[in-house]
Amino acid sequence: MSQKLCENAAILNIEGRSGDMNPVVIWDNENVVLIDTGLPLQFDLFKRELAELGLAPDQVTHILFTHHDIDHIGCAKEFLGESPKIETIAHEKEAPYINGQKVPLKLAALEADVENLSMEKRGFCEMLKQGFANRQIEITKVVQDGDILPVCGGIQVVLTSGHTIGHVSYYLIESKILVGGDAVNATNGVLYGPNPMHTYDIKNAIESLQKLLLLDIETIIAYHGGRIEGNIGERIKMLIETEKRIL
Ligand SMILES: [Zn+2]
């Protein structure tokens, strides 16, 4: 079930094999903006969730990517099939992984070490490879830290690198919602840092959390784990302290 966040934004509930994913949709009179697009083969779930909000895939005008991991780019191609004019947006350092110029980071790391991988990891590597095959799409607009996209009351790009090289979060200025992608995680209403196992540069990822303290955030959406509300500044401060101790 999609979950309304405010008048013009909602979380889409996309079930995955290893837990739910939480793409966000925001709209105004002219635009429908989708942040992240699930795993490949989940397009029907997106259709169902959008329909609950009275929206359809061919109304989407912008797709914003937090980063290039397979569970964030999976259905972009299907959206573009419905509406070829969609503006596709990512940080300039993520774009080459989404348009196919570079081998995705996690796949490259596994392939570099393929001789030494367990059977299970080899299977995962093969799955990733197949997942990414033919998923490449052009990025029509690259963004940088601090850019403000002039749609839906303004969406600010916040570089929260670390999980991947050019991972960004998106701050919805009007509603004070931070769509955090994989820069944060949440479980049962508790905010966590990025999962070190799946993070490219954990030190950088934790440094990036510091930047969130400069924003007036009322709600934070972790792509894996969903919505966290209230005392966001305090929660982030505590999170940074805990993460620093672990490092
Ligand atoms: Zn993810």
Side-chain angles (χ1 to χ4, degrees), residues 34-55:
L34 177 63
I35 306 183
D36 287 339
T37 66
L39 285 162
L41 308 176
Q42 292 189 313
F43 191 52
D44 284 345
L45 298 181
F46 276 91
K47 276 200 225 172
R48 178 197 72 193
E49 293 290 298
L50 287 170
E52 281 177 13
L53 299 163
L55 297 168

Side-chain angles (χ1 to χ4, degrees), residues 106-126 129:
K106 290 190 177 67
L107 182 57
L110 286 167
E111 283 184 326
D113 196 33
V114 76
E115 299 295 308
N116 302 314
L117 294 182
S118 64
M119 283 306 283
E120 193 194 342
K121 278 251 166 109
R122 265 186 213 201
F124 180 64
C125 179
E126 197 45 47
K129 204 169 173 178

Side-chain angles (χ1 to χ4, degrees), residues 21 67 69 71-72 163 181-182 223-224:
M21 286 166 278
H67 64 297
D69 278 347
D71 53 332
H72 298 254
H163 179 75
D182 288 359
Y223 190 72
H224 304 284

Side-chain angles (χ1 to χ4, degrees), residues 61-100:
T61 54
H62 299 70
I63 295 177
L64 277 48
F65 296 101
T66 57
H67 64 297
H68 72 274
D69 278 347
I70 193 70
D71 53 332
H72 298 254
I73 65 155
C75 292
K77 213 163 185 172
E78 282 76 6
F79 277 100
L80 284 164
E82 297 272 331
S83 179
K85 285 193 185 148
I86 292 177
E87 182 116 64
T88 50
I89 297 173
H91 188 269
E92 56 182 355
K93 288 187 180 164
E94 289 295 303
Y97 298 103
I98 301 175
N99 67 20

Side-chain angles (χ1 to χ4, degrees), residues 155-202:
I155 301 177
Q156 185 179 336
V157 177
V158 187
L159 179 63
T160 42
S161 55
H163 179 75
T164 58
I165 291 172
H167 182 289
V168 294
S169 301
Y170 293 101
Y171 180 60
L172 314 184
I173 294 172
E174 262 181 13
S175 51
K176 300 183 178 176
I177 295 168
L178 184 91
V179 181
D182 288 359
V184 287
N185 282 298
T187 308
N188 301 326
V190 180
L191 193 65
Y192 292 95
N195 184 337
M197 271 230 312
H198 306 301
T199 292
Y200 179 73
D201 181 344
I202 187 69

